[in-house]
Amino acid sequence: MSGASSVRQLRVEQVTHSYGNTTVVRNVSLDVEAGQVHCLLGPSGSGKSTLLRVIAGLETPDSGTVSIGSAQVTGEHIAVPPEQRAIGFVFQDYALFPHLNVRRNILYGMPPGTRAERHAKMQSLLERVELADAASAMPHTLSGGEQQRVALARALAREPGVMLLDEPFSSLDVRLRTEVRETTLRVLREFNTATLLVTHDPQESMRCADQVSVIRAGQIIQTATPQDLYFFPADRETAETFGVINTLKVRREGTQRVTVLGCLPGAAALDDSNETALLRPECIALEPAHGPTTTGQGTVCTIEPEGGTNLIGVQLSQGPLVKARCLAPGNWNIGAAVRVRLRNP
Ligand code: ADP
């Protein structure tokens, strides 16, 4: 364990990688600090695993550099072999050695030391992943979640500064997934590891990450905190990835940007054309309509219960249908006349 949490432990700069004539990673840059979880979110085939393979040293990129701590491991005339990089991996299929028990799986990649030191460290790792009693178990006798935690302990045994997780929770059922994810990420933060987590699940990236990079067709579209990605998506496709989005036409009046619901709040996101505002349902406020209003008059036409909140669809009398998120149970009924206004996230 080393380094303050502001240390940039993994740095990828302008990496491009092709298979034959097909470029699948284009000019990708990202940084992961020690103790932080960075999610790489993108659909299947977008180049996520290829980027991990470049970072691990399993692929040599066309161009670009990779640094771990202060050492460049990939670059022009630099190609540190995978086993000499301070990197751990956990994959979707755990890849434990089936013929070795848990103890021997974990001891396998551990750096040299006395037998007592190695066993003490192995036991301490098992305790960290909440499997203190499982040292003698064979992998096939463990549940999927337990096997995944052994895989994590085995990867941590090498004391990597950087951990690469490739869809590590996707084969677990929903309840187990949350539990194993929480344990895994808590342990990685405690070890001050820089973690790059690949996922195609937007909700998972929102829950887990300090930073999320959205990748599409090999290119990073946006890197931001989960909250900034949600409220200030770079484009409509990214906006739609993370939930319901309202789109309103924007016209310029002097320095102001005006919609059918009045002036946009200063921080509102626009799509790439700069002519459409991208507004989350949390940015739409409803009030009872008392008498005629000039802007923002509408009628409630749908109510979608979400548990603690309702998504209320309002047909604007002079505009499109917009959706507002309101606390449940709320007082809105289908057919009610409402006044709609914009607010900051
Ligand atoms: P992801 O992890 O986002 O699903 P990949 O990095 O696995 O994406 O793949 C990106 C693209 O590269 C895909 O079109 C895939 O078919 C292609 N690809 C992956 N590995 C190879 C390979 N070894 N040889 C040729 N093409 C590959």
Side-chain angles (χ1 to χ4, degrees):
M1 267 190 264
S2 66
S5 65
S6 62
V7 173
R8 232 175 250 115
Q9 189 61 31
L10 172 65
R11 168 163 271 195
V12 175
E13 283 180 291
Q14 302 194 320
V15 163
T16 294
H17 184 74
S18 309
Y19 293 112
N21 292 329
T22 312
T23 301
V24 298
V25 172
R26 290 166 198 274
N27 214 18
V28 163
S29 299
L30 58 84
D31 284 336
V32 189
E33 293 179 7
Q36 294 223 321
V37 177
H38 192 118
C39 271
L40 191 59
L41 173 78
S44 179
S46 56
K48 306 182 296 296
S49 299
T50 301
L51 183 62
L52 288 199
R53 291 173 62 78
V54 168
I55 294 169
L58 300 169
E59 301 282 352
T60 305
D62 309 346
S63 56
T65 62
V66 176
S67 304
I68 294 170
S70 55
Q72 201 177 92
V73 292
T74 295
E76 217 176 331
H77 312 302
I78 299 175
V80 175
E83 64 279 9
Q84 287 172 25
R85 300 186 178 201
I87 288 182
F89 297 90
V90 181
F91 297 112
Q92 186 178 340
D93 59 3
Y94 327 133
L96 296 177
F97 302 117
H99 58 293
L100 300 182
N101 67 15
V102 166
R103 174 186 299 113
R104 294 181 64 201
N105 259 284
I106 295 176
L107 289 172
Y108 181 81
M110 201 182 277
T114 65
R115 187 172 185 279
E117 280 165 0
R118 285 160 55 80
H119 276 255
K121 189 169 158 196
M122 185 271 303
Q123 195 56 41
S124 146
L125 282 166
L126 276 182
E127 278 161 24
R128 293 299 268 276
V129 298
E130 298 165 20
L131 283 173
D133 300 328
S136 303
M138 295 304 286
H140 73 271
T141 65
L142 301 175
S143 71
E146 288 167 337
Q147 289 184 46
Q148 189 61 301
R149 283 184 279 147
V150 174
L152 173 67
R154 189 181 61 174
L156 284 169
R158 295 184 58 208
E159 301 177 9
V162 172
M163 186 69 81
L164 306 178
L165 307 178
D166 196 353
E167 304 266 6
F169 314 117
S170 55
S171 60
L172 303 173
D173 72 51
V174 175
R175 189 189 54 79
L176 206 56
R177 190 180 310 161
T178 310
E179 199 180 299
V180 176
R181 187 170 59 204
E182 279 174 10
T183 309
T184 302
L185 298 181
R186 175 178 52 72
V187 171
L188 287 166
R189 286 184 207 275
E190 283 169 8
F191 277 71
N192 210 26
T193 311
T195 302
L196 184 59
L197 167 64
V198 159
T199 180
H200 64 270
D201 177 355
Q203 300 314 322
E204 180 162 278
S205 74
M206 289 267 142
R207 290 219 179 99
C208 297
D210 298 292
Q211 295 274 318
V212 181
S213 288
V214 176
I215 185 168
R216 226 179 283 144
Q219 271 181 302
I220 303 266
I221 306 296
Q222 185 174 10
T223 296
T225 62
Q227 190 168 321
D228 278 355
L229 264 184
Y230 184 73
F231 284 113
F232 309 112
D235 58 22
R236 191 183 295 213
E237 195 172 334
T238 307
E240 286 168 353
T241 303
F242 293 101
V244 176
I245 194 83
N246 294 294
T247 52
L248 291 181
K249 282 261 164 291
V250 176
R251 62 177 196 281
R252 295 200 175 258
E253 287 184 9
T255 57
Q256 297 204 308
R257 298 172 303 172
V258 183
T259 72
V260 67
L261 294 175
C263 285
L264 275 187
L270 298 175
D271 76 353
D272 357 13
S273 73
N274 264 347
E275 288 170 4
T276 305
L278 302 169
L279 297 158
R280 291 294 177 198
E282 291 79 5
C283 303
I284 308 276
L286 305 183
E287 294 162 3
H290 299 299
T293 56
T294 48
T295 55
Q297 182 82 9
T299 306
V300 174
C301 57
T302 56
I303 300 177
E304 296 168 59
E306 298 176 313
T309 52
N310 288 328
L311 202 55
I312 314 276
V314 175
Q315 179 60 57
L316 298 174
S317 50
Q318 290 171 4
L321 188 143
V322 291
K323 291 196 171 179
R325 185 161 280 126
C326 303
L327 288 179
N331 295 322
W332 309 112
N333 297 310
I334 303 278
V338 288
R339 194 176 133 79
V340 186
R341 58 180 181 80
L342 300 178
R343 66 173 171 212
N344 267 320

